[in-house]
Amino acid sequence: MTITLNFQPIDKIRKQVRSKLWLGLVMATSLTVPTLANAEITQRDIDNYGTAMAAAANAKSISRVASLVADDALISVSRKGKTTTLNKSNYLNLLQNNWSKATRYGYDIQLNNVVSSGNHAKADAITTEVIVENNVTTRLVTTSRITFTKSGNSVLLSRAISQLVIEKH
């Protein structure tokens, strides 16, 4: 009986072990390191959102406003006992309509009572639109509870439940 032993050079064995260890390390790291898509939303993110939304609306930039609203966003607006739900497209059209009829337009947003968990946050919001048309000033004051989602480096409005009050002066 003859027994033949095949010995591999020690360098080849070390290389195989290192490659398996490297693969294991890469797999373990990919499971434990958070990705940008799952980044935590912060108070600063919400503050930056408010600044960006006010700047976009005051600049009457529909593309900039659109970039701050999720594609599947739903905005429920109640006024005098009637409720309307707007999708992103309806919301943007309504905003453009207000811009087009105004000889003077202003937009302000205040965000308070932020509660965040992971890549989602909720905040109380008061938005005020001032529209001057034919020397008549109309103030649209909306009190809302907004849900935000962070995707990558962007914070998007995903849901809003709002009460609207219209004041004419």
PDB file of all heavy atoms in Angstrom, residues 93-125:
ATOM      1  N   ASN A  93     -49.124  71.821  -8.764  1.00  0.00           N
ATOM      2  CA  ASN A  93     -50.030  72.621  -9.602  1.00  0.00           C
ATOM      3  C   ASN A  93     -50.702  73.730  -8.798  1.00  0.00           C
ATOM      4  O   ASN A  93     -50.837  74.863  -9.277  1.00  0.00           O
ATOM      5  CB  ASN A  93     -51.097  71.740 -10.255  1.00  0.00           C
ATOM      6  CG  ASN A  93     -50.535  70.884 -11.369  1.00  0.00           C
ATOM      7  OD1 ASN A  93     -49.495  71.183 -11.935  1.00  0.00           O
ATOM      8  ND2 ASN A  93     -51.224  69.794 -11.667  1.00  0.00           N
ATOM      9  N   LEU A  94     -51.123  73.414  -7.581  1.00  0.00           N
ATOM     10  CA  LEU A  94     -51.755  74.404  -6.720  1.00  0.00           C
ATOM     11  C   LEU A  94     -50.772  75.531  -6.389  1.00  0.00           C
ATOM     12  O   LEU A  94     -51.114  76.716  -6.447  1.00  0.00           O
ATOM     13  CB  LEU A  94     -52.246  73.731  -5.436  1.00  0.00           C
ATOM     14  CG  LEU A  94     -53.031  74.584  -4.459  1.00  0.00           C
ATOM     15  CD1 LEU A  94     -54.323  75.080  -5.082  1.00  0.00           C
ATOM     16  CD2 LEU A  94     -53.322  73.778  -3.200  1.00  0.00           C
ATOM     17  N   LEU A  95     -49.544  75.163  -6.095  1.00  0.00           N
ATOM     18  CA  LEU A  95     -48.512  76.151  -5.787  1.00  0.00           C
ATOM     19  C   LEU A  95     -48.240  77.051  -6.999  1.00  0.00           C
ATOM     20  O   LEU A  95     -48.195  78.286  -6.881  1.00  0.00           O
ATOM     21  CB  LEU A  95     -47.238  75.425  -5.357  1.00  0.00           C
ATOM     22  CG  LEU A  95     -46.192  76.211  -4.589  1.00  0.00           C
ATOM     23  CD1 LEU A  95     -46.768  76.878  -3.361  1.00  0.00           C
ATOM     24  CD2 LEU A  95     -45.056  75.283  -4.180  1.00  0.00           C
ATOM     25  N   GLN A  96     -48.113  76.439  -8.176  1.00  0.00           N
ATOM     26  CA  GLN A  96     -47.889  77.226  -9.394  1.00  0.00           C
ATOM     27  C   GLN A  96     -49.066  78.163  -9.685  1.00  0.00           C
ATOM     28  O   GLN A  96     -48.863  79.285 -10.150  1.00  0.00           O
ATOM     29  CB  GLN A  96     -47.655  76.301 -10.593  1.00  0.00           C
ATOM     30  CG  GLN A  96     -46.277  75.695 -10.615  1.00  0.00           C
ATOM     31  CD  GLN A  96     -46.077  74.803 -11.824  1.00  0.00           C
ATOM     32  OE1 GLN A  96     -46.856  73.886 -12.067  1.00  0.00           O
ATOM     33  NE2 GLN A  96     -45.032  75.080 -12.585  1.00  0.00           N
ATOM     34  N   ASN A  97     -50.264  77.700  -9.419  1.00  0.00           N
ATOM     35  CA  ASN A  97     -51.447  78.528  -9.620  1.00  0.00           C
ATOM     36  C   ASN A  97     -51.392  79.760  -8.712  1.00  0.00           C
ATOM     37  O   ASN A  97     -51.676  80.877  -9.161  1.00  0.00           O
ATOM     38  CB  ASN A  97     -52.721  77.713  -9.361  1.00  0.00           C
ATOM     39  CG  ASN A  97     -53.966  78.510  -9.660  1.00  0.00           C
ATOM     40  OD1 ASN A  97     -54.106  79.095 -10.724  1.00  0.00           O
ATOM     41  ND2 ASN A  97     -54.885  78.532  -8.700  1.00  0.00           N
ATOM     42  N   ASN A  98     -51.010  79.560  -7.462  1.00  0.00           N
ATOM     43  CA  ASN A  98     -50.878  80.692  -6.541  1.00  0.00           C
ATOM     44  C   ASN A  98     -49.806  81.663  -7.027  1.00  0.00           C
ATOM     45  O   ASN A  98     -49.984  82.880  -6.953  1.00  0.00           O
ATOM     46  CB  ASN A  98     -50.561  80.213  -5.127  1.00  0.00           C
ATOM     47  CG  ASN A  98     -51.742  79.546  -4.461  1.00  0.00           C
ATOM     48  OD1 ASN A  98     -52.883  79.650  -4.915  1.00  0.00           O
ATOM     49  ND2 ASN A  98     -51.483  78.827  -3.384  1.00  0.00           N
ATOM     50  N   TRP A  99     -48.717  81.141  -7.517  1.00  0.00           N
ATOM     51  CA  TRP A  99     -47.635  81.998  -8.022  1.00  0.00           C
ATOM     52  C   TRP A  99     -48.094  82.808  -9.227  1.00  0.00           C
ATOM     53  O   TRP A  99     -47.783  83.984  -9.353  1.00  0.00           O
ATOM     54  CB  TRP A  99     -46.428  81.168  -8.433  1.00  0.00           C
ATOM     55  CG  TRP A  99     -45.704  80.492  -7.313  1.00  0.00           C
ATOM     56  CD1 TRP A  99     -45.771  80.772  -5.982  1.00  0.00           C
ATOM     57  CD2 TRP A  99     -44.797  79.405  -7.438  1.00  0.00           C
ATOM     58  NE1 TRP A  99     -44.959  79.919  -5.276  1.00  0.00           N
ATOM     59  CE2 TRP A  99     -44.350  79.067  -6.139  1.00  0.00           C
ATOM     60  CE3 TRP A  99     -44.314  78.663  -8.512  1.00  0.00           C
ATOM     61  CZ2 TRP A  99     -43.446  78.041  -5.895  1.00  0.00           C
ATOM     62  CZ3 TRP A  99     -43.415  77.644  -8.264  1.00  0.00           C
ATOM     63  CH2 TRP A  99     -42.982  77.340  -6.972  1.00  0.00           C
ATOM     64  N   SER A 100     -48.822  82.156 -10.135  1.00  0.00           N
ATOM     65  CA  SER A 100     -49.186  82.808 -11.393  1.00  0.00           C
ATOM     66  C   SER A 100     -50.160  83.969 -11.197  1.00  0.00           C
ATOM     67  O   SER A 100     -50.131  84.931 -11.962  1.00  0.00           O
ATOM     68  CB  SER A 100     -49.773  81.794 -12.376  1.00  0.00           C
ATOM     69  OG  SER A 100     -51.042  81.354 -11.928  1.00  0.00           O
ATOM     70  N   LYS A 101     -51.015  83.896 -10.201  1.00  0.00           N
ATOM     71  CA  LYS A 101     -52.001  84.959 -10.020  1.00  0.00           C
ATOM     72  C   LYS A 101     -51.519  86.069  -9.096  1.00  0.00           C
ATOM     73  O   LYS A 101     -52.171  87.089  -8.963  1.00  0.00           O
ATOM     74  CB  LYS A 101     -53.332  84.379  -9.540  1.00  0.00           C
ATOM     75  CG  LYS A 101     -53.316  83.762  -8.169  1.00  0.00           C
ATOM     76  CD  LYS A 101     -54.665  83.129  -7.850  1.00  0.00           C
ATOM     77  CE  LYS A 101     -54.635  82.459  -6.484  1.00  0.00           C
ATOM     78  NZ  LYS A 101     -55.880  81.771  -6.202  1.00  0.00           N
ATOM     79  N   ALA A 102     -50.365  85.892  -8.471  1.00  0.00           N
ATOM     80  CA  ALA A 102     -49.879  86.857  -7.490  1.00  0.00           C
ATOM     81  C   ALA A 102     -49.009  87.927  -8.126  1.00  0.00           C
ATOM     82  O   ALA A 102     -48.115  87.633  -8.909  1.00  0.00           O
ATOM     83  CB  ALA A 102     -49.076  86.134  -6.417  1.00  0.00           C
ATOM     84  N   THR A 103     -49.298  89.182  -7.771  1.00  0.00           N
ATOM     85  CA  THR A 103     -48.377  90.254  -8.141  1.00  0.00           C
ATOM     86  C   THR A 103     -47.259  90.327  -7.107  1.00  0.00           C
ATOM     87  O   THR A 103     -46.173  90.815  -7.403  1.00  0.00           O
ATOM     88  CB  THR A 103     -49.101  91.612  -8.222  1.00  0.00           C
ATOM     89  OG1 THR A 103     -49.808  91.841  -7.001  1.00  0.00           O
ATOM     90  CG2 THR A 103     -50.056  91.634  -9.403  1.00  0.00           C
ATOM     91  N   ARG A 104     -47.539  89.828  -5.905  1.00  0.00           N
ATOM     92  CA  ARG A 104     -46.533  89.687  -4.863  1.00  0.00           C
ATOM     93  C   ARG A 104     -46.807  88.383  -4.125  1.00  0.00           C
ATOM     94  O   ARG A 104     -47.961  88.049  -3.858  1.00  0.00           O
ATOM     95  CB  ARG A 104     -46.606  90.878  -3.898  1.00  0.00           C
ATOM     96  CG  ARG A 104     -45.250  91.286  -3.376  1.00  0.00           C
ATOM     97  CD  ARG A 104     -45.258  92.583  -2.582  1.00  0.00           C
ATOM     98  NE  ARG A 104     -46.005  92.423  -1.341  1.00  0.00           N
ATOM     99  CZ  ARG A 104     -46.915  93.286  -0.900  1.00  0.00           C
ATOM    100  NH1 ARG A 104     -47.197  94.363  -1.576  1.00  0.00           N
ATOM    101  NH2 ARG A 104     -47.548  93.065   0.233  1.00  0.00           N
ATOM    102  N   TYR A 105     -45.744  87.642  -3.823  1.00  0.00           N
ATOM    103  CA  TYR A 105     -45.906  86.332  -3.201  1.00  0.00           C
ATOM    104  C   TYR A 105     -44.840  86.157  -2.127  1.00  0.00           C
ATOM    105  O   TYR A 105     -43.681  86.532  -2.319  1.00  0.00           O
ATOM    106  CB  TYR A 105     -45.768  85.215  -4.260  1.00  0.00           C
ATOM    107  CG  TYR A 105     -45.877  83.827  -3.673  1.00  0.00           C
ATOM    108  CD1 TYR A 105     -47.113  83.224  -3.494  1.00  0.00           C
ATOM    109  CD2 TYR A 105     -44.739  83.135  -3.271  1.00  0.00           C
ATOM    110  CE1 TYR A 105     -47.217  81.962  -2.930  1.00  0.00           C
ATOM    111  CE2 TYR A 105     -44.838  81.865  -2.713  1.00  0.00           C
ATOM    112  CZ  TYR A 105     -46.073  81.282  -2.534  1.00  0.00           C
ATOM    113  OH  TYR A 105     -46.176  80.040  -1.981  1.00  0.00           O
ATOM    114  N   GLY A 106     -45.239  85.561  -1.011  1.00  0.00           N
ATOM    115  CA  GLY A 106     -44.279  85.228   0.039  1.00  0.00           C
ATOM    116  C   GLY A 106     -44.645  83.913   0.691  1.00  0.00           C
ATOM    117  O   GLY A 106     -45.835  83.555   0.790  1.00  0.00           O
ATOM    118  N   TYR A 107     -43.633  83.168   1.121  1.00  0.00           N
ATOM    119  CA  TYR A 107     -43.838  81.853   1.738  1.00  0.00           C
ATOM    120  C   TYR A 107     -42.938  81.749   2.953  1.00  0.00           C
ATOM    121  O   TYR A 107     -41.757  82.095   2.895  1.00  0.00           O
ATOM    122  CB  TYR A 107     -43.494  80.753   0.731  1.00  0.00           C
ATOM    123  CG  TYR A 107     -43.663  79.339   1.243  1.00  0.00           C
ATOM    124  CD1 TYR A 107     -44.829  78.637   1.004  1.00  0.00           C
ATOM    125  CD2 TYR A 107     -42.655  78.707   1.971  1.00  0.00           C
ATOM    126  CE1 TYR A 107     -44.998  77.333   1.458  1.00  0.00           C
ATOM    127  CE2 TYR A 107     -42.813  77.407   2.430  1.00  0.00           C
ATOM    128  CZ  TYR A 107     -43.981  76.729   2.185  1.00  0.00           C
ATOM    129  OH  TYR A 107     -44.144  75.446   2.635  1.00  0.00           O
ATOM    130  N   ASP A 108     -43.499  81.282   4.054  1.00  0.00           N
ATOM    131  CA  ASP A 108     -42.722  81.059   5.267  1.00  0.00           C
ATOM    132  C   ASP A 108     -43.132  79.708   5.853  1.00  0.00           C
ATOM    133  O   ASP A 108     -44.310  79.322   5.754  1.00  0.00           O
ATOM    134  CB  ASP A 108     -42.980  82.181   6.282  1.00  0.00           C
ATOM    135  CG  ASP A 108     -42.164  81.994   7.554  1.00  0.00           C
ATOM    136  OD1 ASP A 108     -40.930  82.006   7.468  1.00  0.00           O
ATOM    137  OD2 ASP A 108     -42.781  81.808   8.619  1.00  0.00           O
ATOM    138  N   ILE A 109     -42.180  79.012   6.444  1.00  0.00           N
ATOM    139  CA  ILE A 109     -42.473  77.741   7.101  1.00  0.00           C
ATOM    140  C   ILE A 109     -41.741  77.697   8.428  1.00  0.00           C
ATOM    141  O   ILE A 109     -40.572  78.076   8.517  1.00  0.00           O
ATOM    142  CB  ILE A 109     -42.105  76.525   6.209  1.00  0.00           C
ATOM    143  CG1 ILE A 109     -42.488  75.198   6.876  1.00  0.00           C
ATOM    144  CG2 ILE A 109     -40.629  76.557   5.824  1.00  0.00           C
ATOM    145  CD1 ILE A 109     -42.390  73.988   5.966  1.00  0.00           C
ATOM    146  N   GLN A 110     -42.457  77.276   9.458  1.00  0.00           N
ATOM    147  CA  GLN A 110     -41.886  77.072  10.780  1.00  0.00           C
ATOM    148  C   GLN A 110     -42.086  75.615  11.148  1.00  0.00           C
ATOM    149  O   GLN A 110     -43.211  75.110  11.074  1.00  0.00           O
ATOM    150  CB  GLN A 110     -42.566  77.965  11.818  1.00  0.00           C
ATOM    151  CG  GLN A 110     -42.429  79.438  11.549  1.00  0.00           C
ATOM    152  CD  GLN A 110     -43.314  80.268  12.477  1.00  0.00           C
ATOM    153  OE1 GLN A 110     -43.896  79.774  13.430  1.00  0.00           O
ATOM    154  NE2 GLN A 110     -43.411  81.552  12.179  1.00  0.00           N
ATOM    155  N   LEU A 111     -41.012  74.937  11.525  1.00  0.00           N
ATOM    156  CA  LEU A 111     -41.070  73.521  11.894  1.00  0.00           C
ATOM    157  C   LEU A 111     -40.686  73.374  13.366  1.00  0.00           C
ATOM    158  O   LEU A 111     -39.639  73.875  13.785  1.00  0.00           O
ATOM    159  CB  LEU A 111     -40.121  72.706  11.008  1.00  0.00           C
ATOM    160  CG  LEU A 111     -40.474  72.719   9.520  1.00  0.00           C
ATOM    161  CD1 LEU A 111     -39.320  72.213   8.685  1.00  0.00           C
ATOM    162  CD2 LEU A 111     -41.718  71.896   9.275  1.00  0.00           C
ATOM    163  N   ASN A 112     -41.548  72.705  14.141  1.00  0.00           N
ATOM    164  CA  ASN A 112     -41.343  72.542  15.578  1.00  0.00           C
ATOM    165  C   ASN A 112     -41.692  71.128  16.009  1.00  0.00           C
ATOM    166  O   ASN A 112     -42.316  70.376  15.259  1.00  0.00           O
ATOM    167  CB  ASN A 112     -42.229  73.524  16.360  1.00  0.00           C
ATOM    168  CG  ASN A 112     -41.947  74.952  15.994  1.00  0.00           C
ATOM    169  OD1 ASN A 112     -40.849  75.436  16.194  1.00  0.00           O
ATOM    170  ND2 ASN A 112     -42.944  75.628  15.424  1.00  0.00           N
ATOM    171  N   ASN A 113     -41.358  70.813  17.252  1.00  0.00           N
ATOM    172  CA  ASN A 113     -41.713  69.529  17.873  1.00  0.00           C
ATOM    173  C   ASN A 113     -41.313  68.346  17.004  1.00  0.00           C
ATOM    174  O   ASN A 113     -42.120  67.463  16.719  1.00  0.00           O
ATOM    175  CB  ASN A 113     -43.210  69.474  18.197  1.00  0.00           C
ATOM    176  CG  ASN A 113     -43.615  70.554  19.170  1.00  0.00           C
ATOM    177  OD1 ASN A 113     -42.867  70.888  20.081  1.00  0.00           O
ATOM    178  ND2 ASN A 113     -44.784  71.131  18.958  1.00  0.00           N
ATOM    179  N   VAL A 114     -40.057  68.327  16.594  1.00  0.00           N
ATOM    180  CA  VAL A 114     -39.549  67.265  15.725  1.00  0.00           C
ATOM    181  C   VAL A 114     -39.297  66.010  16.550  1.00  0.00           C
ATOM    182  O   VAL A 114     -38.657  66.057  17.600  1.00  0.00           O
ATOM    183  CB  VAL A 114     -38.244  67.711  15.023  1.00  0.00           C
ATOM    184  CG1 VAL A 114     -37.671  66.585  14.186  1.00  0.00           C
ATOM    185  CG2 VAL A 114     -38.501  68.951  14.180  1.00  0.00           C
ATOM    186  N   VAL A 115     -39.826  64.901  16.053  1.00  0.00           N
ATOM    187  CA  VAL A 115     -39.578  63.595  16.647  1.00  0.00           C
ATOM    188  C   VAL A 115     -39.039  62.721  15.529  1.00  0.00           C
ATOM    189  O   VAL A 115     -39.703  62.553  14.500  1.00  0.00           O
ATOM    190  CB  VAL A 115     -40.868  62.971  17.234  1.00  0.00           C
ATOM    191  CG1 VAL A 115     -40.592  61.583  17.788  1.00  0.00           C
ATOM    192  CG2 VAL A 115     -41.469  63.878  18.299  1.00  0.00           C
ATOM    193  N   SER A 116     -37.827  62.174  15.728  1.00  0.00           N
ATOM    194  CA  SER A 116     -37.235  61.366  14.655  1.00  0.00           C
ATOM    195  C   SER A 116     -36.926  59.965  15.144  1.00  0.00           C
ATOM    196  O   SER A 116     -36.665  59.738  16.326  1.00  0.00           O
ATOM    197  CB  SER A 116     -35.972  62.029  14.100  1.00  0.00           C
ATOM    198  OG  SER A 116     -35.016  62.182  15.114  1.00  0.00           O
ATOM    199  N   SER A 117     -36.974  59.054  14.200  1.00  0.00           N
ATOM    200  CA  SER A 117     -36.648  57.655  14.445  1.00  0.00           C
ATOM    201  C   SER A 117     -36.086  57.084  13.153  1.00  0.00           C
ATOM    202  O   SER A 117     -36.798  56.992  12.150  1.00  0.00           O
ATOM    203  CB  SER A 117     -37.905  56.889  14.869  1.00  0.00           C
ATOM    204  OG  SER A 117     -37.608  55.515  15.024  1.00  0.00           O
ATOM    205  N   GLY A 118     -34.797  56.750  13.181  1.00  0.00           N
ATOM    206  CA  GLY A 118     -34.167  56.218  11.975  1.00  0.00           C
ATOM    207  C   GLY A 118     -34.178  57.251  10.874  1.00  0.00           C
ATOM    208  O   GLY A 118     -33.786  58.394  11.078  1.00  0.00           O
ATOM    209  N   ASN A 119     -34.666  56.859   9.706  1.00  0.00           N
ATOM    210  CA  ASN A 119     -34.674  57.789   8.569  1.00  0.00           C
ATOM    211  C   ASN A 119     -36.034  58.471   8.377  1.00  0.00           C
ATOM    212  O   ASN A 119     -36.327  58.991   7.311  1.00  0.00           O
ATOM    213  CB  ASN A 119     -34.233  57.077   7.283  1.00  0.00           C
ATOM    214  CG  ASN A 119     -35.230  56.049   6.801  1.00  0.00           C
ATOM    215  OD1 ASN A 119     -35.998  55.495   7.585  1.00  0.00           O
ATOM    216  ND2 ASN A 119     -35.225  55.776   5.520  1.00  0.00           N
ATOM    217  N   HIS A 120     -36.865  58.494   9.437  1.00  0.00           N
ATOM    218  CA  HIS A 120     -38.159  59.173   9.402  1.00  0.00           C
ATOM    219  C   HIS A 120     -38.228  60.200  10.534  1.00  0.00           C
ATOM    220  O   HIS A 120     -37.628  60.013  11.587  1.00  0.00           O
ATOM    221  CB  HIS A 120     -39.312  58.183   9.574  1.00  0.00           C
ATOM    222  CG  HIS A 120     -39.495  57.291   8.400  1.00  0.00           C
ATOM    223  ND1 HIS A 120     -38.714  56.186   8.165  1.00  0.00           N
ATOM    224  CD2 HIS A 120     -40.375  57.348   7.368  1.00  0.00           C
ATOM    225  CE1 HIS A 120     -39.098  55.606   7.046  1.00  0.00           C
ATOM    226  NE2 HIS A 120     -40.099  56.288   6.538  1.00  0.00           N
ATOM    227  N   ALA A 121     -38.982  61.256  10.301  1.00  0.00           N
ATOM    228  CA  ALA A 121     -39.234  62.249  11.338  1.00  0.00           C
ATOM    229  C   ALA A 121     -40.620  62.838  11.137  1.00  0.00           C
ATOM    230  O   ALA A 121     -41.136  62.856  10.016  1.00  0.00           O
ATOM    231  CB  ALA A 121     -38.185  63.359  11.291  1.00  0.00           C
ATOM    232  N   LYS A 122     -41.200  63.296  12.235  1.00  0.00           N
ATOM    233  CA  LYS A 122     -42.477  64.019  12.185  1.00  0.00           C
ATOM    234  C   LYS A 122     -42.252  65.372  12.826  1.00  0.00           C
ATOM    235  O   LYS A 122     -41.466  65.500  13.763  1.00  0.00           O
ATOM    236  CB  LYS A 122     -43.567  63.250  12.919  1.00  0.00           C
ATOM    237  CG  LYS A 122     -43.958  61.973  12.212  1.00  0.00           C
ATOM    238  CD  LYS A 122     -45.124  61.296  12.896  1.00  0.00           C
ATOM    239  CE  LYS A 122     -45.409  59.993  12.189  1.00  0.00           C
ATOM    240  NZ  LYS A 122     -46.736  59.881  11.707  1.00  0.00           N
ATOM    241  N   ALA A 123     -42.933  66.370  12.305  1.00  0.00           N
ATOM    242  CA  ALA A 123     -42.806  67.715  12.845  1.00  0.00           C
ATOM    243  C   ALA A 123     -44.119  68.465  12.682  1.00  0.00           C
ATOM    244  O   ALA A 123     -44.875  68.217  11.745  1.00  0.00           O
ATOM    245  CB  ALA A 123     -41.685  68.478  12.126  1.00  0.00           C
ATOM    246  N   ASP A 124     -44.379  69.375  13.632  1.00  0.00           N
ATOM    247  CA  ASP A 124     -45.479  70.309  13.483  1.00  0.00           C
ATOM    248  C   ASP A 124     -44.989  71.420  12.567  1.00  0.00           C
ATOM    249  O   ASP A 124     -43.837  71.851  12.675  1.00  0.00           O
ATOM    250  CB  ASP A 124     -45.873  70.899  14.835  1.00  0.00           C
ATOM    251  CG  ASP A 124     -46.471  69.857  15.777  1.00  0.00           C
ATOM    252  OD1 ASP A 124     -47.033  68.854  15.284  1.00  0.00           O
ATOM    253  OD2 ASP A 124     -46.375  70.054  17.004  1.00  0.00           O
ATOM    254  N   ALA A 125     -45.858  71.876  11.691  1.00  0.00           N
ATOM    255  CA  ALA A 125     -45.465  72.928  10.754  1.00  0.00           C
ATOM    256  C   ALA A 125     -46.560  73.980  10.655  1.00  0.00           C
ATOM    257  O   ALA A 125     -47.748  73.658  10.696  1.00  0.00           O
ATOM    258  CB  ALA A 125     -45.199  72.345   9.368  1.00  0.00           C
TER     259      ALA A 125
END
